[in-house]
Amino acid sequence: MKVFVYGTLMRNQKANFLLSRQKYIGPGEIYGFSLYKVSNWYPGVVKQEGDRVKGEIYELVHEPAKTLARLDDYEGEGSLYQRILTRAVDQNGEEHEVFVYVFNGTVDKEKYIPYDQQPWKG
């Protein structure tokens, strides 16, 4: 089971401790999504054909079900974000089936984060 993260769960970000016992695969990208600043503290992705988002890929190797439940709780799965299955591509071009948390609200188009300004920095 793998996850793709693009905000506060990334390395050197405030919530990365939730992934501290998991296997870091490395940088990656997801296609068909756009990145937006959705609050003063964190970003969100939404589905958008023709766009892509930079982030990181992790494999949940230590207590994967419990870790996923903690991530769901942190992300507000079902309300603030929705966890979906998609594909990410790592820096070697290898594809991974990953979970990603997609923002469940309306984004402000003025707060779009272009690809060349990614990955997100808090």
Side-chain angles (χ1 to χ4, degrees):
M1 181 181 321
K2 296 176 185 172
V3 295
F4 176 85
V5 298
Y6 54 84
T8 60
L9 289 166
M10 291 191 326
R11 294 166 75 178
N12 302 315
Q13 296 294 330
K14 71 176 186 174
N16 184 256
F17 69 91
L18 292 168
L19 294 168
S20 65
R21 298 180 76 188
Q22 308 310 318
K23 181 180 178 185
Y24 175 69
I25 302 293
E29 296 181 350
I30 54 173
Y31 295 84
F33 294 89
S34 292
L35 186 65
Y36 289 87
K37 181 178 177 182
V38 297
S39 86
N40 288 332
W41 301 279
Y42 54 86
V45 298
V46 295
K47 287 187 176 185
Q48 178 66 48
E49 285 304 313
D51 209 357
R52 58 190 172 156
V53 174
K54 293 179 191 176
E56 298 172 343
I57 303 168
Y58 287 83
E59 184 173 1
L60 305 184
V61 294
H62 181 76
E63 299 183 326
K66 286 183 180 180
T67 300
L68 195 59
R70 285 196 285 284
L71 294 174
D72 283 353
D73 185 55
Y74 175 75
E75 294 287 8
E77 204 286 321
S79 57
L80 190 58
Y81 289 86
Q82 179 181 7
R83 177 172 39 91
I84 67 167
L85 204 53
T86 192
R87 295 212 174 270
V89 178
D90 68 23
Q91 62 189 355
N92 299 318
E94 185 179 335
E95 283 195 10
H96 302 263
E97 187 173 63
V98 296
F99 285 115
V100 64
Y101 290 91
V102 176
F103 186 62
N104 215 18
T106 303
V107 296
D108 178 349
K109 298 293 183 189
E110 298 292 319
K111 295 185 177 180
Y112 171 72
I113 303 170
Y115 180 80
D116 63 356
Q117 294 176 22
Q118 299 174 25
W120 178 81
K121 301 287 187 245

